Amino acid sequence: MKLYLIGFLILASASVSSHAETLTVITKQNAIRTSCQFFAPVKAMVYYNDVLEVTSKQGDWYQVRFNGLPGCIHKSAVDKKSFTLSKITGSQGQSASGGEVALAGKGFNPQVESAYKRSNPGLNYTAVNRVEGYTVSDKQVLQFIQTGRLTPP
Amino acid sequence: MKTPLALLAGIILVSLIACSGMDIGSVTRVVQQTFQAATPLSDEEEYYVGRAVAARILSTYSLLEDRKLTEYVNLVGNTVAVNSDEPYTYGGYHFAVLNSEEINAFACPGGIILITKGMLYATQNEDELAAVLAHEVAHINNRDGVSAIQKARLTEVATLIGKEAAQRYTPAELSQLVTAFEGSIDDVFKTLVVNGYSKTQEYRADEDAITYLKRAGYDPYALKNFLVRLQSQGQGSTGGIMKTHPATSERIARVEKELPSDQFDQSLVQLRAKRFKKAL
């Protein structure tokens, strides 16, 4: 048992050192901002599964670099992908990282949703899409906070 | 004692390499399945579950078609959400009003929050509306909806898909996945609409709602005020939200413990009440 633990620790440390500095975007889309605060100007848009290079952490925000562009992203929009089996085992093309497994999850995806919709035609997905279309911009929310004398985050 | 996931996977990996003649590919597959079986739903999956739950709710309730009012509810909701513990979800937060007199609200996993017209009119000002929405945002932050999914379903799916998670599925695999998806939606729907969350989850959502209200600059007393009025109007024990929530008196008692001792500046509540009145 002791041997296994030691073996694992060696493997884990190797994995962490090779992947500790990247993050993966886990939201459909998000923004890289000029400073580490909500509503700061947007420098670039990033999308699901984009990989960002971490330069430092500042509270709940990461300072990152994306396509050479530095900026900030909130921690809830990203996830770490630091456990890569291919790095440990040396296998090529047969393994997925722990992060990929977590992201791909248990298979509930657009393909499953489409099949589910077909077998349940009574469900009102049209209304769901309509609700998802209800959005308010950063500018609107910030103005709403200011006029209501609320506290900007 | 809970064994850390990575440690467990590591032990399996090392033991298999050390003790068997298994090829690396097989070892990798076993470890991946261990990860999948024990990993909670990803944000993306939670999003698809939430969409399906919302589609089911919206098959019973119709949307209130009022663009101005919906925008206002989204502004209040997003102000609270940005001050929550998880300001960003896979698909973002979206708020909508259901055309129903029933007093109710539903937090679909992933970020869709549906509030009935009855609930909206039961609140007296913006701060109370923010309190109601903060409670729902807390359920999403705490993943209370998806926690209702029976673990066996997820384990079954994890076993089925193995390392092929990111690929397209064969018809047979797809059929099994849809069955598991359907079962998961049933579990969440029953919790949201029929049985309600556990008392612990409800109390925690109230507690978190107060935290979000404080951060946002809303009156933290608004949640208590709303619950007290609901109770005094005789809606504290039956129907709608009360059918699925713990006794209002118990919620009030617990909320009181979380409130700050200093009173909130009521002129700010009144200021916001003006735009609330205008929006409604």
Side-chain angles (χ1 to χ4, degrees):
Chain A
M1 183 70 180
K2 211 172 177 182
L3 262 178
Y4 297 156
L5 281 173
I6 293 166
F8 169 68
L9 288 173
I10 293 166
L11 293 172
S13 59
S15 165
V16 168
S17 64
S18 63
H19 282 277
E21 293 181 351
T22 61
L23 293 169
T24 305
V25 177
I26 57 166
T27 57
K28 262 191 205 171
Q29 62 171 43
N30 219 284
I32 301 286
R33 297 183 184 275
T34 50
S35 59
C36 293
Q37 51 188 334
F38 293 103
F39 311 124
V42 175
K43 241 180 175 179
M45 291 307 289
V46 287
Y47 298 90
Y48 186 62
N49 263 342
D50 275 347
V51 177
L52 317 174
E53 185 192 328
V54 183
T55 51
S56 66
K57 193 160 188 250
Q58 202 178 310
D60 288 343
W61 293 79
Y62 285 102
Q63 285 192 318
V64 295
R65 196 173 277 278
F66 178 66
N67 286 343
L69 213 62
C72 291
I73 193 161
H74 191 265
K75 67 174 186 182
S76 63
V78 289
D79 196 13
K80 280 186 181 175
K81 285 172 79 172
S82 57
F83 192 95
T84 301
L85 292 168
S86 56
K87 290 276 179 191
I88 299 165
T89 61
S91 66
Q92 295 295 316
Q94 291 192 52
S95 58
S97 71
E100 279 165 353
V101 170
L103 289 174
K106 293 165 191 69
F108 297 161
N109 61 17
Q111 193 193 359
V112 174
E113 183 182 280
S114 296
Y116 175 70
K117 270 197 257 186
R118 278 197 300 275
S119 57
N120 294 276
L123 296 181
N124 198 350
Y125 269 96
T126 307
V128 177
N129 293 337
R130 199 173 167 79
V131 172
E132 286 195 336
Y134 298 152
T135 53
V136 282
S137 67
D138 277 5
K139 196 179 162 189
Q140 281 177 293
V141 178
L142 186 58
Q143 196 181 19
F144 186 78
I145 287 171
Q146 286 163 347
T147 56
R149 293 184 55 195
L150 293 160
T151 317
Chain B
M1 201 176 118
K2 205 173 167 184
T3 311
L5 184 61
L7 181 63
L8 186 66
I11 291 170
I12 292 169
L13 177 67
V14 175
S15 356
L16 288 172
I17 292 171
C19 308
S20 78
M22 279 175 95
D23 63 85
I24 290 298
S26 307
V27 172
T28 301
R29 248 186 324 274
V30 170
V31 175
Q32 284 162 349
Q33 286 176 10
T34 304
F35 260 105
Q36 285 170 328
T39 305
L41 288 181
S42 69
D43 284 12
E44 188 194 11
E45 286 176 306
E46 203 172 324
Y47 165 78
Y48 287 108
V49 170
R51 273 174 59 83
V53 171
R56 204 160 152 181
I57 294 171
L58 289 165
S59 305
T60 309
Y61 298 87
S62 61
L63 284 175
L64 182 73
E65 302 289 348
D66 184 330
R67 198 181 57 82
K68 276 276 170 203
L69 179 62
T70 305
E71 185 179 274
Y72 175 72
V73 172
N74 272 276
L75 285 167
V76 177
N78 276 286
T79 299
V80 170
V82 81
N83 283 287
S84 73
D85 294 326
E86 200 167 348
Y88 295 114
T89 62
Y90 177 82
Y93 291 92
H94 305 276
F95 301 81
V97 183
L98 301 175
N99 197 2
S100 165
E101 300 302 326
E102 181 185 310
I103 296 179
N104 220 336
F106 306 102
C108 305
I112 292 178
I113 292 175
L114 306 169
I115 176 172
T116 60
K117 191 171 75 177
M119 173 68 99
L120 200 57
Y121 282 90
T123 61
Q124 211 162 53
N125 54 45
E126 183 175 310
D127 289 49
E128 286 187 7
L129 172 59
V132 170
L133 297 179
H135 176 93
E136 300 306 321
V137 168
H139 279 311
I140 288 172
N141 275 213
N142 299 334
R143 290 177 156 74
D144 290 336
V146 287
S147 73
I149 300 173
Q150 292 172 27
K151 283 192 177 63
R153 294 192 204 283
L154 302 182
T155 308
E156 186 192 329
V157 177
T159 309
L160 170 75
I161 62 178
K163 76 180 180 70
E164 310 300 328
Q167 298 178 0
R168 283 188 72 80
Y169 305 114
T170 63
E173 286 169 337
L174 188 60
S175 164
Q176 280 180 274
L177 280 167
V178 171
T179 304
F181 186 66
E182 201 148 19
S184 302
I185 306 313
D186 283 348
D187 292 344
V188 179
F189 184 81
K190 269 183 210 155
T191 297
L192 253 69
V193 182
V194 185
N195 302 328
Y197 299 109
S198 71
K199 279 187 180 182
T200 312
Q201 287 172 324
E202 289 298 351
Y203 296 147
R204 188 176 165 200
D206 281 341
E207 209 175 290
D208 290 346
I210 290 169
T211 304
Y212 307 159
L213 290 172
K214 281 187 208 164
R215 286 181 194 159
Y218 279 117
D219 180 3
Y221 280 83
L223 180 58
K224 181 195 158 191
N225 296 342
F226 175 71
L227 290 171
V228 167
R229 202 176 50 261
L230 212 57
Q231 190 183 36
S232 69
Q233 287 173 354
Q235 288 156 327
S237 55
T238 56
I241 197 169
M242 297 313 162
K243 188 180 76 181
T244 56
H245 280 60
T248 311
S249 54
E250 180 62 23
R251 286 180 70 189
I252 294 168
R254 284 173 180 264
V255 161
E256 272 175 344
K257 287 182 193 161
E258 302 300 322
L259 293 171
S261 51
D262 47 330
Q263 287 299 312
F264 193 80
D265 182 353
Q266 289 303 303
S267 69
L268 295 174
V269 176
Q270 291 312 313
L271 172 84
R272 294 187 284 267
K274 284 179 192 161
R275 64 182 181 186
F276 171 84
K277 206 172 167 186
K278 205 173 161 190
L280 263 65

